[in-house]
């Protein structure tokens, strides 16, 4: 397994481009199953999870061309299988997003129960209940969700919790259902909106996306479309946390600041000077950060995917911050690793109390999930001495060439092959 070696203590300076959003690209790729026409996508990030999704679609019979400039063309005119096998699904929970499109277009699907990184259970029962309400016959058979429906029927569905992938799966399924589907308690995330905008380009009839009530009137068929993936607000927030921790001044290109309200508010509270200028975000940090408490919430609240990164910033902040994680029950696994670097963090249940220290010390640490990886990189950039971050395959799932982008900003960071000591 590759590692990252970081020599910390260097302020960041320069300009870097933000990639397309992983959490938007994954459902959008799966939406290609809804039509036999070609789907043309731009700004698709080059990530491990994207590669896994493309391999899964190829296994189903989808032809794709992955061109230059993060340009992907999908054609699902020759789908030969409706089974998403365990060996592909086990590495990425978002694979469950093929369930709705397969069932809606082909009347059947056999999808392995998903795996992924261990930050919480994230059950798929909301997906299953919603599809059952639309008339699907569903059973769990030897670790697979097996679903059948001659044609899905519109229904009013209120999920027990706000679920992003559940909203996306049910919205995709409803586009080809007979009649009207109403999704109550729907997720409002920008990535859900981006998927809805693509589906509308494909001929879907959708209203209310971006609110907690989405209305979909089913159509007979969808057609091809062209679409550009929305910028990754989590990647942008991660780089802003990095400059907040190290000091310096950076410019982020190709951003969507209007999707980052809660993130930018908290970083400003921590002392980061931020200016928004169209697709640019300028950030400057000239002092020690201020401790900034927060509670993770569904959009438009502070995202759980930024919790670890802002915790890393808080470890060297002046004062004490109280963090409450309300989305996932096991998302503080980075705290012990940060403590190895000298951080003072006390965790009890869903609450972490972080008392800032003047400086962190470099250490050997291990990544446990995607966003935990990013927090350890941020800590390493700010720490005195060398930090070695192991198991960075997690990082590669969601950040496109992170170490290369950081080097353009002046960071001393390099990737070591897995057999390096």
């Amino acid at each position: 397994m590759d590692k990252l070696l970081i020599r910390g203590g260097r302020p960041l300076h320069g300009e870097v481009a933000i990639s397309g959003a992983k959490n938007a690209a994954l459902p959008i790729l799966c939406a290609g199953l809804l039509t036999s026409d070609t789907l043309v996508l731009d700004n698709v990030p080059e990530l491990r999870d994207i590669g896994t999704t493309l391999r899964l679609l190829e296994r189903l019979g989808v032809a794709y061309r992955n061109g230059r400039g993060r340009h992907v063309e999908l054609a699902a005119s020759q789908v030969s299988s409706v089974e998403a096998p365990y060996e592909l699904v086990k590495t990425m929970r978002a694979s469950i997003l093929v369930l709705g499109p397969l069932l809606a277009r082909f009347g059947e699907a056999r999808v392995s129960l998903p795996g992924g990184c261990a930050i919480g259970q994230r059950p798929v029962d909301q997906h299953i209940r919603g599809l059952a309400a639309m008339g699907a016959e569903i059973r769990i058979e030897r670790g697979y969700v097996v679903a059948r429906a001659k044609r899905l029927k519109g229904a009013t569905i209120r999920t027990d919790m706000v679920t992003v992938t559940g909203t996306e799966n049910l919205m995709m399924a409803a586009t080809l259902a007979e009649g009207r589907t109403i999704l109550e308690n729907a997720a409002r995330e920008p990535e859900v909106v981006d998927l809805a905008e693509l589906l509308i380009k494909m001929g879907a009839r959708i209203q209310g996306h971006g609110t907690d009530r989405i209305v979909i009137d089913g159509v007979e068929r969808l057609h091809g479309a062209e679409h550009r993936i929305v910028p990754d607000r989590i990647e942008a927030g991660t780089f802003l946390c990095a400059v907040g921790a190290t000091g310096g001044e950076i410019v982020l290109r190709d951003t969507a600041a209007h999707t980052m309200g809660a993130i930018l508010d908290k970083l400003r509270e921590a002392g980061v000077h931020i200016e928004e200028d169209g697709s640019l975000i300028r950030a400057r940090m000239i002092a020690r950060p201020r401790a900034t408490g927060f509670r993770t919430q569904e959009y438009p609240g502070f995202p759980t995917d930024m919790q670890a990164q802002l915790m890393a910033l808080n470890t060297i902040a002046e004062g004490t911050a109280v963090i409450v994680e309300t989305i996932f029950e096991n998302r503080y696994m980075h705290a012990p690793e940060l403590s190895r670097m000298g951080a003072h963090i006390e965790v009890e249940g869903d609450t972490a109390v972080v008392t800032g220290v003047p400086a962190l010390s470099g250490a050997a640490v291990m990544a446990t999930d995607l966003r935990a990886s990013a927090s350890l990189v941020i800590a390493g950039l700010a720490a005195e001495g060398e930090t070695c971050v192991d198991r960075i395959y997690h990082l590669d799932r969601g950040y496109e060439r992170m170490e290369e982008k950081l080097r353009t900003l002046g960071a001393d960071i390099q990737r070591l092959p897995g057999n390096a000591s």
Side-chain angles (χ1 to χ4, degrees):
M1 298 179 189
D2 288 359
K3 307 174 184 180
L4 286 180
L5 179 64
I6 306 167
R7 297 175 180 88
R10 299 174 60 146
L12 300 181
H13 292 277
E15 189 172 307
V16 70
I18 297 303
S19 301
K22 174 184 85 92
N23 290 340
L26 296 177
I28 282 173
L29 288 170
C30 295
L33 289 164
L34 290 166
T35 178
S36 60
D37 296 342
T38 299
L39 203 61
V40 180
L41 304 174
D42 280 312
N43 204 32
V44 180
E46 297 177 351
L47 304 169
R48 183 184 292 263
D49 277 7
I50 296 296
T52 300
T53 302
L54 289 173
R55 288 195 299 276
L56 173 58
L57 292 174
E58 187 176 40
R59 176 73 69 90
L60 297 173
V62 178
Y64 74 90
R65 184 169 63 183
N66 197 353
R68 299 180 62 183
R70 295 159 186 82
H71 177 91
V72 175
E73 297 182 14
L74 298 173
S77 57
Q78 302 293 327
V79 171
S80 55
S81 172
V82 294
E83 178 173 319
Y86 174 71
E87 61 264 25
L88 285 172
V89 174
K90 68 180 180 180
T91 63
M92 189 182 65
R93 292 177 185 265
S95 302
I96 195 67
L97 287 166
V98 301
L99 176 61
L102 285 173
L103 183 59
R105 183 171 164 214
F106 301 102
E108 58 180 329
R110 180 179 168 86
V111 180
S112 173
L113 289 168
C117 48
I119 60 171
Q121 294 185 28
R122 293 189 280 185
V124 299
D125 62 315
Q126 303 299 309
H127 307 235
I128 293 172
R129 290 177 188 174
L131 292 171
M134 298 169 71
E137 297 179 3
I138 302 178
R139 67 182 188 275
I140 306 299
E141 182 180 279
R142 296 186 178 183
Y144 280 78
V145 179
V146 180
R148 290 185 175 83
K150 187 173 181 181
R151 186 182 182 189
L152 294 172
K153 309 289 185 182
T156 297
I157 303 166
R158 180 177 180 83
T159 53
D160 294 339
M161 63 185 74
V162 177
T163 162
V164 173
T165 55
T167 298
E168 291 165 341
N169 230 342
L170 297 174
M171 183 168 63
M172 287 190 284
T175 60
L176 295 178
E178 181 181 344
R180 170 169 286 189
T181 298
I182 300 174
L183 302 181
E184 302 277 8
N185 202 28
R188 302 165 59 185
E189 271 72 4
E191 296 79 15
V192 175
V193 174
D194 202 36
L195 172 62
E197 293 295 336
L198 165 74
L199 294 171
I200 291 169
K201 290 177 184 178
M202 296 170 67
R205 299 172 61 191
I206 302 174
Q207 303 174 62
H209 45 296
T211 76
D212 61 2
R213 186 178 188 269
I214 303 176
V215 180
I216 309 105
D217 289 300
V219 297
E220 290 291 331
R221 68 178 299 272
L222 297 177
H223 52 70
E226 297 183 8
H227 186 74
R228 181 175 177 83
I229 306 294
V230 71
D232 195 323
R233 61 195 173 103
I234 305 302
E235 183 191 23
T238 299
F239 278 98
L240 293 175
C241 282
V243 75
T246 64
E249 186 170 1
I250 64 172
V251 176
L252 305 182
R253 301 194 314 271
D254 304 329
T255 67
H258 66 280
T259 68
M260 298 177 61
I263 299 171
L264 298 182
D265 287 348
K266 284 298 172 182
L267 285 165
R268 287 183 172 117
E269 190 177 323
V272 184
H273 298 270
I274 296 173
E275 297 178 6
E276 305 165 33
D277 182 8
S279 64
L280 299 179
I281 296 178
R282 295 182 176 88
R284 179 168 53 93
M285 192 67 171
I286 57 176
R288 184 180 177 187
R290 295 188 293 269
T292 306
F294 60 94
R295 173 186 293 265
T296 63
Q297 294 177 310
E298 295 86 0
Y299 191 86
F302 190 86
T304 182
D305 278 356
M306 281 298 304
Q307 178 254 106
Q309 299 92 308
L310 192 51
M311 178 185 282
L313 181 59
N314 272 312
T315 62
I316 56 169
E318 184 174 357
T320 298
V322 177
I323 299 170
V324 181
E325 172 60 58
T326 70
I327 308 298
F328 295 127
E329 71 277 7
N330 193 26
R331 206 166 197 179
Y332 286 137
M333 291 188 291
H334 46 281
E337 298 302 304
L338 290 170
S339 296
R340 286 174 53 80
M341 302 177 69
H344 191 277
I345 305 169
E346 297 179 359
V347 175
E348 184 171 345
D350 62 2
T351 301
V353 179
V354 184
T355 302
V357 297
L360 298 175
S361 300
V365 292
M366 183 177 67
T368 53
D369 61 71
L370 169 54
R371 306 307 173 183
S373 307
S375 76
L376 298 177
V377 170
I378 292 168
L381 292 171
E384 298 173 350
E386 290 188 352
T387 297
C388 185
V389 184
D390 202 356
R391 296 178 68 183
I392 60 166
Y393 63 86
H394 290 294
L395 195 74
D396 295 336
R397 290 183 50 227
Y399 290 93
E400 185 175 19
R401 302 192 316 277
M402 188 182 203
E403 73 277 13
E404 294 179 24
K405 291 185 177 184
L406 285 169
R407 275 200 298 271
T408 68
L409 299 176
D412 188 344
I413 181 172
Q414 65 183 114
R415 181 179 290 251
L416 301 178
N419 57 359
S421 60

